[in-house]
Amino acid sequence: MAKRKKLYPKAEDELDSLKEEVAEELQLDDDIKERGFENMTTREVGKIGGNMVKKMIKYSEKQMDEKRYIDVLS
């Protein structure tokens, strides 16, 4: 299977950091250290991914709201 080309290679570190942050919030960080991601259940990995998406949406909404506020002031 061919590797997918990364559109934003610099974002990979940020996404890894977010993944670790979310895993810690869900108290799955110890499981990851013991078993590794490759041995996590689909449910556990999905929980981490789903919460990452929620955080990214909140961040984007906040950025859009701030931009709208700045546009109104201009």
Side-chain angles (χ1 to χ4, degrees):
M1 181 178 213
K3 275 200 161 198
R4 184 172 63 98
K5 181 182 175 190
K6 292 176 177 61
L7 294 175
Y8 302 100
K10 292 179 183 177
E12 190 170 351
D13 291 338
E14 292 296 322
L15 288 172
D16 286 342
S17 176
L18 178 60
K19 187 187 321 180
E20 291 172 12
E21 177 185 324
V22 169
E24 187 174 327
E25 288 173 4
L26 297 172
Q27 299 176 346
L28 293 171
D29 53 331
D30 289 337
D31 294 336
I32 294 167
K33 289 175 187 164
E34 289 174 19
R35 297 185 282 160
F37 270 106
E38 60 278 354
N39 295 316
M40 302 291 289
T41 65
T42 303
R43 184 179 190 140
E44 291 168 327
V45 174
K47 211 174 194 181
I48 293 169
N51 280 281
M52 287 176 65
V53 170
K54 285 179 187 177
K55 279 187 170 248
M56 288 186 278
I57 290 170
K58 282 182 184 179
Y59 176 80
S60 296
E61 287 174 341
K62 183 179 176 189
Q63 294 298 312
M64 287 187 277
D65 193 46
E66 288 173 0
K67 183 183 181 316
R68 207 172 308 135
Y69 178 73
I70 290 171
D71 289 345
V72 169
L73 292 178
S74 298

